Amino acid sequence: METLVRTTVTHQKTRPPRILLVDDDPMTHETVEAQLYQEGYELFFGHDGAEALQQVATNTPDVILLDVMMPGMDGFEVCQLLKSSPQSRHIPIILFTALDDVKALVTGLNAGADEFVTKPVTRAELCARVRSMLRIKEQYRELQEAQQLRERLSRMITHDMNNPLAGITLHLHLLQRQNHLNEKQRRHLALIEGETKQLNSALGELQLVNKLGQNRLMLNRQLVHLASVLDELQEQHTAMAAAREVTLQLSCLPTPAGSCMLDPQLLQRLLNTLVRGAISSAPTQSIVAVQLSTQSTSIGANDALLTITVTDEGPSTPPTWPDSIYDLLESWDLLAPDRPHIGVGLAVCQLIAEAHGGTIGVTNRATGGAIFQVNLPTTLV
């Protein structure tokens, strides 16, 4: 069991906040140093873009004061480089500019700047801007700590629930082997088994979300025969479809089905989630259609795109796919109350698609129902 240790980092001032000023004018260095001297900050200086990048890598500043007009790389370019790096994107950047126009403001915002000051800047304004950026950085740190705590709690809960579930499943199977059970008792045990499988599947999805969200999942690409994938889907979901009086149609284009390089376990999990959700949503006497198709791309001789479509005749879905995995987890069941509650499952599908470098989306059919479509870049074999 993973031990949860809450380390409360109160940001004891083990060191003063570090401020990096990057400007090619020595007079600006002297002026800013004089303005910030009484604040007790630790100041670092750079004269151009190259020195800015070096200082950030060496001293990890808490706030960067960055001049726009510099030789070589200008401030916009430096800002864009820093904001595109995972190691420095969280550092607030205040752009120093003598340019008082909308175009410069838009360029700076597009580069990722957090704040602007126009030269010459007063001491009161500069100190206020720096304090504001330090507050933002502290709030970012607190959010990161809270997110890490939630992730560790989630891992602990899913880990600790696995053992009781395994025990329930074991004793359930022992009971099912008893010869003296009547039909009603066996039916109840079958219902318990079904609920246990759903709970076990939900735990597996949560564990997968944790791994994918932390980029800890390594794809195990193998040769996948698409015809075999459909055979497994048929075996897995025929009974459920029959129980709900739904026709399950599986097809693969082109025929005969080919083979491609994907992670077979993740692919099967994605398909099982979409097909299970489609069958659960479908009304009786309707059709759930699953189609796999491959199309060559212009990237390389064997490069292709595997497209998966799962079509049902159930209730409509939200008009647009949520912007992020967190929106999907929080909003899907609220936005699609008439469909089964599979927000976590769809979040897993999105993470699996993204892990393969692909996409997932959904559209509503004009005649009713939904079409889920997944596009996965792959290699044909």
Side-chain angles (χ1 to χ4, degrees), residues 7-22:
T7 54
T8 305
V9 182
T10 55
H11 257 339
Q12 309 160 338
K13 298 293 182 178
T14 53
R15 64 168 178 79
R18 293 175 173 172
I19 312 298
L20 171 62
L21 170 64
V22 185

Side-chain angles (χ1 to χ4, degrees), residues 1 21 67 87 99 218 226 246 326 337 343:
M1 172 181 171
L21 170 64
D67 187 35
Q87 287 73 37
L99 307 173
M218 299 296 293
L226 298 182
V246 171
Y326 303 104

Side-chain angles (χ1 to χ4, degrees), residues 103-144:
K103 183 178 179 181
L105 179 64
V106 171
T107 303
L109 289 172
N110 288 335
D114 300 280
E115 187 59 277
F116 298 84
V117 293
T118 304
K119 292 181 178 179
V121 61
T122 65
R123 179 183 182 280
E125 181 185 3
L126 180 60
C127 291
R129 304 279 190 188
V130 170
R131 283 194 293 266
S132 175
M133 292 299 101
L134 288 172
R135 284 195 300 270
I136 289 175
K137 188 171 186 295
E138 177 66 10
Q139 290 167 357
Y140 176 85
R141 181 195 64 79
E142 291 173 354
L143 285 172
Q144 289 292 99

Side-chain angles (χ1 to χ4, degrees), residues 18-309:
R18 293 175 173 172
I19 312 298
L20 171 62
L21 170 64
V22 185
D23 195 307
D24 63 322
D25 181 7
M27 285 297 297
T28 302
H29 289 202
E30 294 180 9
T31 302
V32 169
E33 184 174 16
Q35 289 173 328
L36 297 181
Y37 174 76
Q38 294 182 353
E39 300 296 317
Y41 301 139
E42 188 176 357
L43 297 176
F44 298 89
F45 299 94
H47 296 84
D48 54 33
E51 285 191 20
L53 300 178
Q54 182 180 1
Q55 288 278 20
V56 169
T58 304
N59 296 309
T60 317
D62 297 300
V63 175
I64 299 172
L65 308 176
L66 183 60
D67 187 35
V68 169
M69 306 301 290
M70 294 187 299
M73 283 188 292
D74 64 24
F76 298 133
E77 294 176 89
V78 176
C79 182
Q80 192 166 22
L81 284 173
L82 292 172
K83 290 297 185 178
S84 63
S85 169
Q87 287 73 37
S88 57
R89 65 177 55 161
H90 64 283
I91 304 175
I93 295 178
I94 301 175
L95 283 182
F96 274 6
T97 176
L99 307 173
D100 191 12
D101 60 59
V102 175
K103 183 178 179 181
L105 179 64
V106 171
T107 303
L109 289 172
N110 288 335
D114 300 280
E115 187 59 277
F116 298 84
V117 293
T118 304
K119 292 181 178 179
V121 61
T122 65
R123 179 183 182 280
E125 181 185 3
L126 180 60
C127 291
R129 304 279 190 188
V130 170
R131 283 194 293 266
S132 175
M133 292 299 101
L134 288 172
R135 284 195 300 270
I136 289 175
K137 188 171 186 295
E138 177 66 10
Q139 290 167 357
Y140 176 85
R141 181 195 64 79
E142 291 173 354
L143 285 172
Q144 289 292 99
E145 285 189 355
Q147 181 178 345
Q148 290 170 7
L149 179 62
R150 286 196 300 270
E151 289 173 352
R152 295 188 69 183
L153 280 170
S154 176
R155 291 199 301 272
M156 284 179 60
I157 291 170
T158 54
H159 178 273
D160 289 352
M161 288 182 69
N162 278 327
N163 289 336
L165 260 179
I168 291 171
T169 303
L170 173 62
H171 292 291
L172 178 63
H173 290 165
L174 291 174
L175 284 173
Q176 287 175 324
R177 292 176 185 174
Q178 300 297 316
N179 295 323
H180 62 275
L181 298 177
N182 59 43
E183 185 61 31
K184 183 177 180 180
Q185 290 170 329
R186 292 189 182 280
R187 188 165 63 252
H188 283 303
L189 287 176
L191 290 172
I192 294 172
E193 183 181 26
E195 296 297 322
T196 304
K197 285 182 177 178
Q198 284 195 26
L199 183 55
N200 194 51
S201 176
L203 282 176
E205 287 171 346
L206 282 173
Q207 289 173 322
L208 192 58
V209 167
N210 281 331
K211 289 182 180 179
L212 286 165
Q214 300 167 49
N215 297 317
R216 293 193 293 112
L217 186 72
M218 299 296 293
L219 292 183
N220 181 23
R221 292 183 184 269
Q222 299 178 27
L223 183 63
V224 175
H225 300 284
L226 298 182
S228 299
V229 170
L230 293 182
D231 290 342
E232 189 167 347
L233 281 179
Q234 186 83 47
E235 182 179 347
Q236 289 275 345
H237 300 285
T238 295
M240 179 183 180
R244 295 187 59 85
E245 299 182 43
V246 171
T247 301
L248 183 60
Q249 292 182 350
L250 307 175
S251 61
C252 189
L253 297 174
T255 304
S259 301
C260 51
M261 298 299 293
L262 295 164
D263 187 309
Q265 292 185 344
L266 293 183
L267 175 64
Q268 204 66 47
R269 181 182 285 272
L270 180 149
L271 284 166
N272 284 338
T273 299
L274 294 180
V275 173
R276 185 172 63 246
I279 294 174
S280 299
S281 301
T284 58
Q285 307 302 318
S286 66
I287 295 173
V288 169
V290 182
Q291 184 181 85
L292 309 183
S293 62
T294 56
Q295 182 179 1
S296 297
T297 66
S298 58
I299 299 174
N302 296 324
D303 291 319
L305 188 70
L306 171 65
T307 298
I308 301 166
T309 57

